[in-house]
Amino acid sequence: MSTITSIEQLEALYGVAGETSTAKEVDRIIPQYRRYIEVSPFVALATCGPEGLDCSPRGDLAGFVRVHDDRTLMLPDRRGNNRVDSLRNIVRDPRVALLFLIPGSGTTLRVNGRARLDIDPALLASFEIEGRPPRSVTVVTVDSVYFQCARAIVRAGLWDPARHVDPKSLPTPGQILAALSDNRVGGEAYDREWPERAAKTMW
């Protein structure tokens, strides 16, 4: 194997980024970038901590990430599995990265910044859905924002129904849990009961 071990080698291979790759990056949320955030129902949240890196999906009603001002984003933490991997990392290392996806659009939006967790009752109440507030809100101070061109989404055919995978062809969560726990948890009962359980704990 031939491994790249220096920035000089990397730059010799890839060359210099053009102006279209650098002019798009700013340190604030401009109106055009705000629009992407307002219509996005999904963001991947990347964090880092003593145990390593983590990347977690976050999905909600479109616009669930609130643009508080041009340097601040607010992300409610909805019901989940209580592992709180991302939140553990943020408490110990504030660096975060966000990748916003917009169904139907090839263009994605990337945000890098520093985060903190806020549990102010009034703030939590402002994110209530069906009378249920989040348990915390991740407040992100923006360091850089830029759009990512559509090549990855186009290559993946992400929004093309003809390229979608039949869920029935994949192992179910219940099957995975059963295999990893010697059938202590999971199984057919887990898969059968999950839709109703999820509906009751969505928010």
Side-chain angles (χ1 to χ4, degrees):
M1 293 180 62
S2 298
T3 303
I4 292 176
T5 58
S6 71
I7 296 298
E8 290 75 19
Q9 288 177 295
L10 188 64
E11 291 178 344
L13 178 63
Y14 282 91
V16 178
E19 186 176 5
T20 56
S21 296
T22 57
K24 63 185 178 182
E25 182 175 354
V26 291
D27 63 356
R28 65 196 182 282
I29 302 163
I30 59 174
Q32 293 89 338
Y33 287 164
R34 179 176 186 138
R35 179 60 180 158
Y36 277 86
I37 296 169
E38 288 176 340
V39 300
S40 174
F42 181 90
V43 63
L45 170 64
T47 60
C48 54
E51 291 83 19
L53 304 177
D54 184 71
C55 188
S56 175
R58 293 289 193 269
D60 210 327
L61 303 177
F64 72 104
V65 177
R66 180 181 299 169
V67 181
H68 179 69
D69 57 43
D70 66 359
R71 292 296 307 279
T72 310
L73 297 176
M74 294 181 171
L75 170 60
D77 190 63
R78 301 295 183 195
R79 300 285 289 272
N81 56 21
N82 290 331
R83 284 181 55 108
V84 295
D85 296 308
S86 300
L87 306 187
R88 290 178 192 275
N89 282 347
I90 289 171
V91 166
R92 297 173 295 177
D93 187 326
R95 293 175 296 171
V96 298
L98 304 172
L99 175 66
F100 291 89
L101 297 181
I102 299 95
S105 172
T107 302
T108 60
L109 188 71
R110 298 170 63 172
V111 177
N112 297 312
R114 292 156 287 117
R116 62 179 176 84
L117 304 182
D118 198 317
I119 55 171
D120 176 74
L123 179 61
L124 299 181
S126 73
F127 282 96
E128 277 188 10
I129 294 182
E130 296 182 1
R132 296 178 180 176
R135 280 183 279 187
S136 67
V137 172
T138 300
V139 180
V140 179
T141 299
V142 173
D143 290 330
S144 67
V145 190
Y146 54 99
F147 74 87
Q148 183 77 30
C149 76
R151 287 189 185 91
I153 303 297
V154 171
R155 284 193 295 258
L158 194 61
W159 311 126
D160 180 1
R163 302 273 290 275
H164 291 179
V165 175
D166 182 358
K168 295 179 180 178
S169 71
L170 301 173
T172 69
Q175 291 169 340
I176 295 170
L177 285 169
L180 294 176
S181 68
D182 293 328
N183 292 309
R184 292 190 307 275
V185 296
E188 292 182 9
Y190 180 93
D191 291 328
R192 184 174 59 252
E193 296 165 1
W194 189 87
E196 183 178 354
R197 185 169 64 250
K200 293 179 179 178
T201 59
M202 189 61 64
W203 310 112

